[in-house]
Amino acid sequence: MEPSELRARIAGDVEAARRLAVVHVGIEAGLLRFLRAAGRPFIPEELAQKLDLDAELVAAWCSAALACGLVVETPNGTVRGAPCLADLPLESPASLRVADTLARIVDDLVATPALMKSRARIAPERHGAEWIETRANSRLDLACSAARAAASLGMAPRAAAVDGLRRESDLPWLRREIPNAEWRLIDAGAESPLLHATASDLLIVPATLHEITAPLQRARVTQLRALVAPRGAVFVVELEDDPFLAMSLAACGRAALSRDRAASLLEGAGFVAVRDAPAPSESTFGLIAESPCDAP
């Protein structure tokens, strides 16, 4: 590639990132869906009033959306949704993966050059309590999806456990998916419960293995095997690996986990019959493995 072509591509990527940010705000605030449904122009102040939003921020968004081609300018300072909105899946915005992409760029990747020089890593607390709470809710959603999938596969555990959740108030959501199981939490932050807890017929691991470094992942899976009863099953849900995710995770001292590596870790810990399982979303994968008759 010629230098001029590379410069042009970088410039285009910068504009695409800006457009992505404007799309994200428009989706999450409900602006794009409202404009498409209304089919008529609004001044920014009226648009803010209709959606009960901050007028100054809505006006700023309208200017950015105009530059991105998401809205078009109409007489008397009004804007209306651009025709291109008809092609966006605004009823299922998660399919666009806009928020995921922005989070990887803003949360971690921007800090990577400084981390390379300092050889430091970003602590999760850097992102604040709201970010940590969002992560916890995401794990709960994945755990519920895994429990629902396990039930659809005919699993009926008497004792079930879930990794990565810390609140007892999360358990009723899991009981909705498998009501007859006695659900419990695994405290990943404690040292002893992993080795002495009662074994479960089903253990759900909702995207927690990428929260640690690659060397620790093998030890973690071995610990988890001790929690699965003989003939029991483990259901692992993980994020699909890609280079950008891997770089973002590395900035926090964590490691992505490909499907093949996850399967290899399960087999190395003594699990058998490792196979694909239904995944909650396009950006995740699922694996089910069984504990043999002589499980610890």
Side-chain angles (χ1 to χ4, degrees), residues 135-153:
R135 293 277 294 279
N137 290 336
S138 175
R139 282 194 294 270
L140 176 59
D141 289 341
L142 291 176
C144 289
S145 296
R148 189 179 313 120
S152 71
L153 294 173

Side-chain angles (χ1 to χ4, degrees), residues 128-225:
E130 184 176 350
W131 183 84
I132 294 174
E133 179 70 11
T134 298
R135 293 277 294 279
N137 290 336
S138 175
R139 282 194 294 270
L140 176 59
D141 289 341
L142 291 176
C144 289
S145 296
R148 189 179 313 120
S152 71
L153 294 173
M155 295 185 185
R158 290 173 298 176
V162 59
D163 187 30
L165 304 183
R166 300 294 183 93
R167 301 173 299 199
E168 291 288 337
S169 59
D170 290 337
L171 295 182
W173 296 100
L174 292 162
R175 294 190 189 105
R176 292 179 61 179
E177 308 300 340
I178 305 181
N180 296 326
E182 181 182 345
W183 285 94
R184 64 184 180 84
L185 304 175
I186 296 174
D187 186 1
E191 296 180 0
S192 56
L194 279 175
L195 300 179
H196 302 292
T198 304
S200 299
D201 303 314
L202 174 65
L203 170 61
I204 293 176
V205 186
T208 57
L209 290 177
H210 76 267
E211 299 285 355
I212 52 180
T213 62
L216 290 178
Q217 286 172 346
R218 188 173 303 278
R220 177 66 178 166
V221 174
T222 300
Q223 286 182 315
L224 291 173
R225 190 201 164 197

Side-chain angles (χ1 to χ4, degrees), residues 227-252:
L227 299 181
V228 183
R231 302 179 187 273
V234 60
F235 196 135
V236 174
V237 179
E238 263 302 336
L239 306 181
E240 287 283 5
D241 187 16
D242 68 60
F244 295 102
L245 173 63
M247 187 161 57
S248 175
L249 292 176
C252 296

Side-chain angles (χ1 to χ4, degrees), residues 69-90:
L70 295 173
V71 301
V72 294
E73 193 170 15
T74 42
N76 301 319
T78 59
V79 296
R80 68 185 306 159
C84 66
L85 296 187
D87 299 323
L88 289 179
L90 299 178

Side-chain angles (χ1 to χ4, degrees), residues 40-49 58-59 62 74-79:
R40 72 172 181 85
F42 295 89
I43 60 172
E45 290 79 4
E46 182 188 7
L47 188 57
Q49 185 178 28
V58 170
C62 286
T74 42
N76 301 319
T78 59
V79 296

